[in-house]
Amino acid sequence: MADLNHILKTHGLRTTAIRREVMQYFLNEGKAVSHQDVEGAMPKADRVTLYRTLAALEESGIIHQVIDDDTVKKYALCGTECSGDHHHDNHVHFKCERCNDTVCLEDIKIPHINLPQGYSVDSGNLLLMGTCKSCA
Amino acid sequence: MADLNHILKTHGLRTTAIRREVMQYFLNEGKAVSHQDVEGAMPKADRVTLYRTLAALEESGIIHQVIDDDTVKKYALCGTECSGDHHHDNHVHFKCERCNDTVCLEDIKIPHINLPQGYSVDSGNLLLMGTCKSCA
DNA sequence: ACATTTATGCAACATAGTTGCAGAAATGTT
DNA sequence: AACATTTCTGCAACTATGTTGCATAAATGT
């Protein structure tokens, strides 16, 4: 609890019950979750508030968007290095095609890629798909 | 024209005016386009037909989905090696944050990544973001 | 040129996400 | 602790995106 409040404060957000609950949900899941997932887990909470909560957590650098092959937005908790102005979520994501879970592989970084003259790269997103440990 | 018909036939699709127009649009754009883009370019065509046209072209391996940080689906033409059952779009995609265009870098392949024991990888998707040649 | 199969266009529906605004809760100040 | 200020929450309405069912039209096979 106190932890969660501290994270919120250090990221410039007010401490509210909903934000703590959403963050706790992220901690429990340990995988990328969508707005719909959050809504399912917190049926009493207002849809719109949850959209805005996710947006606030993302803008402040507490969660980051996980790019995935389906069209709903998904998010996961950022590592401790993230802050609002500078996300460092340059790790690889893995989506299991059996259980459909997408997870962060925090230890595996996106390799540097050489591009032709004229391109400059700021950030990247690498999604690997296949079968995860639990489904193998 | 004849070319487009040939491509459609070799991928097991019937040759229709709309499919040729959509394919021609892909050829002209040379970048990843969304349903909305196609609709804008072909205002007379029916929305639903365009959704189904894109789905048919994707399933048959003529176009492939380009994963991007925004949530609308985008597609681009596949290289010649693609067929319905086996897509080979394992090249890198680049999204320019100024012009917002996403392009295929056909010559740059996704590098092999070593994952921990238990993961098996079937396919991957690498999106690099930054500034493109024209916007530099 | 005819029968069969598949594609198109329309209406209605379903899902995902946004905006405006009033009341509630959190924070800063005294 | 009480107040003023700022920000958050919850509701209603709305926009955008994508899907399904079905009748008609067009493409293919014989």
Side-chain angles (χ1 to χ4, degrees):
Chain A
M1 242 357 157
D3 286 349
L4 298 179
N5 280 342
H6 183 250
I7 296 172
L8 286 166
K9 281 187 180 158
T10 54
H11 288 79
L13 293 181
R14 291 192 175 184
T15 63
T16 72
I18 289 189
R19 287 174 181 172
R20 283 188 297 271
E21 285 171 53
V22 170
M23 289 173 72
Q24 189 58 58
Y25 177 67
F26 273 98
L27 284 169
N28 295 344
E29 290 303 305
K31 63 176 187 187
V33 300
S34 65
H35 169 268
Q36 191 181 230
D37 294 329
V38 180
E39 204 181 333
M42 304 171 51
K44 286 181 293 187
D46 181 69
R47 259 166 38 81
V48 176
T49 300
L50 291 179
Y51 275 114
R52 292 198 264 228
T53 299
L54 292 171
L57 294 177
E58 187 191 10
E59 275 166 37
S60 69
I62 296 177
I63 62 179
H64 66 272
Q65 195 184 333
V66 175
I67 297 177
D68 190 281
D69 62 337
D70 60 43
T71 48
V72 295
K73 277 192 188 177
K74 294 184 183 173
Y75 302 94
L77 284 173
C78 288
T80 44
E81 334 83 71
C82 288
S83 69
D85 32 311
H86 203 91
H87 273 258
H88 291 273
D89 50 331
N90 65 331
H91 55 265
V92 174
H93 293 134
F94 184 87
K95 175 171 181 174
C96 175
E97 287 167 317
R98 295 205 200 173
C99 64
N100 272 304
D101 283 358
T102 302
V103 296
C104 295
L105 304 175
E106 298 274 359
D107 298 332
I108 303 178
K109 300 300 177 190
I110 300 176
H112 178 78
I113 308 279
N114 279 317
L115 295 191
Q117 270 294 318
Y119 290 97
S120 80
V121 175
D122 293 337
S123 61
N125 227 289
L126 175 52
L127 175 70
L128 298 177
M129 284 170 282
T131 311
C132 75
K133 285 196 244 189
S134 337
C135 293
Chain B
M1 240 1 156
D3 286 351
L4 299 179
N5 280 341
H6 183 250
I7 296 173
L8 286 166
K9 281 188 180 158
T10 54
H11 287 79
L13 291 180
R14 290 192 175 185
T15 65
T16 72
I18 289 189
R19 287 174 181 172
R20 282 188 296 271
E21 284 171 54
V22 170
M23 289 173 72
Q24 188 59 58
Y25 177 67
F26 272 98
L27 283 168
N28 295 344
E29 291 303 305
K31 64 176 187 187
V33 299
S34 65
H35 169 267
Q36 190 180 228
D37 295 328
V38 180
E39 205 180 334
M42 304 171 50
K44 285 180 295 187
D46 182 69
R47 258 166 37 83
V48 176
T49 300
L50 292 180
Y51 275 114
R52 292 199 264 227
T53 300
L54 292 171
L57 294 177
E58 188 192 9
E59 276 166 37
S60 69
I62 295 176
I63 61 179
H64 65 274
Q65 196 184 333
V66 175
I67 297 176
D68 190 280
D69 62 338
D70 58 44
T71 49
V72 293
K73 278 192 187 176
K74 294 184 184 173
Y75 301 94
L77 284 173
C78 289
T80 44
E81 333 82 74
C82 287
S83 68
D85 31 310
H86 203 91
H87 273 259
H88 291 272
D89 51 331
N90 65 331
H91 54 267
V92 174
H93 293 134
F94 184 87
K95 175 170 181 174
C96 175
E97 287 167 317
R98 295 206 199 172
C99 63
N100 271 304
D101 283 359
T102 302
V103 296
C104 295
L105 303 175
E106 298 275 358
D107 297 332
I108 303 177
K109 300 300 176 188
I110 300 176
H112 178 78
I113 309 279
N114 279 317
L115 295 191
Q117 268 294 319
Y119 289 96
S120 81
V121 175
D122 293 337
S123 61
N125 228 289
L126 175 52
L127 175 71
L128 298 176
M129 285 170 282
T131 311
C132 74
K133 285 196 244 188
S134 337
C135 293

